[in-house]
Amino acid sequence: MTILVTGGAGYIGSHMVKLLQEQNEEVIVIDNLSTGSAKSISEAKLYIGDIRDKEIMTNIFTENKIDAVIHFAADSRVAESVANPLKYYNNNLHGTATLLEFMVKYGVKYIVFSSTAAVYGNSETNIITEETKTNPESPYGETKLAIEQMMEWVSSAHGIYYTALRYFNACGAHESGLIGESRNHETHLIPLVLQVALGKRKKINIYGDDYATKDGTCIRDYIHVTDLANAHIKAVKWMKKYKKSGIFNLGNGKGFSVQEIVDYARKVTKKPILAEVDSRRAGDPDKLVASNQLAKEELKWVPKITKIDDIIKSAWKFMNNFPDGYGG
Ligand code: UDP
């Protein structure tokens, strides 16, 4: 198969590219390198540009016979989306509309879309199924949900099949330790905690210890990036085999508190890791844990790296190899 990976130089995208290459699939990447790094996909055929740019999209679709698209290219910072919503409507929605236009024009029938648990927002239920009411609380979540809906309309009008994968907390790094999570403005818990262990940050702020959880800190479902990537390949095969579209949660189905993550990180790194309780961060729900039953049943997807210490270990290996990210 020839697969176009949009946003393939980003964190999850680069793991996707690696997995496809390991499985001997043909991979084409488009990435505008706004947050990604070409160093994370050294062996892939890379088009540097934006999915909204019709000239580069024409080149990609005429120069390659694409069988399926795996679509990551998007802006993905919740706080930034609240401050600058139009950036998100423009890049995420307009970008995907352009991509779908090209898929329709060139007869590409399958798309896997990188969606998010942020479409559920501050949910009343703690274990979230795909039936849980959507209630996004940021332009980021809104645009991801709107894209799911856009794909549904395009699917019924033009016979395209789509799979939307709603990720919970993506984390970890490839077993080689050569690719991983590397951002200029890091906001995610695990890399931040590990930066403290590495001595690049003085302390980790724990955002609130008065939540309705066992230790008062927020509980999240941490899912390894390689398991996420695996689900995308399964989704392409599922769509091709059954000629169906679908929406699936991707999580481990098990929650860890912020305090537990800090404790596990201390164990893995053997570093003290200074942590201080800070005030709550706006919009954080107490507990978000996925029901992953549907993905297991339909896609036959089973997460493999489920132990939290193994997940943290993989991120720690990458961080030791690239203490200053890909630029270092
Ligand atoms: N968190 C924290 N300190 C930090 C970063 C995150 O306490 O410096 C908490 C955050 O409030 C949330 C959890 O860690 O409860 C996971 O946050 P992250 O930003 O990694 O992912 P999110 O759940 O927001 O997608």
Side-chain angles (χ1 to χ4, degrees), residues 169 187-189 192 204-207 218 220 258 281 284:
N169 290 60
T187 59
H188 290 113
L189 181 65
L192 287 176
I204 182 78
N205 292 318
I206 295 180
Y207 296 144
C218 289
R220 294 289 178 274
V258 175
R281 189 175 67 174
D284 269 340

Side-chain angles (χ1 to χ4, degrees), residues 44-101:
K45 180 170 177 187
L46 169 64
Y47 289 81
I48 298 176
D50 199 290
I51 56 170
R52 289 166 292 185
D53 177 347
K54 294 197 174 182
E55 201 178 313
I56 196 166
M57 292 295 272
T58 303
N59 291 341
I60 291 173
F61 280 82
T62 52
E63 289 167 12
N64 305 282
K65 173 83 197 74
I66 294 161
D67 296 299
V69 175
I70 302 183
H71 177 35
F72 298 98
D75 285 314
S76 62
R77 291 194 201 118
V78 174
E80 182 190 54
S81 79
V82 175
N84 193 356
L86 292 175
K87 181 179 179 195
Y88 280 69
Y89 279 88
N90 193 333
N91 190 17
N92 296 3
L93 273 179
H94 176 196
T96 307
T98 309
L99 174 65
L100 289 167
E101 239 175 66

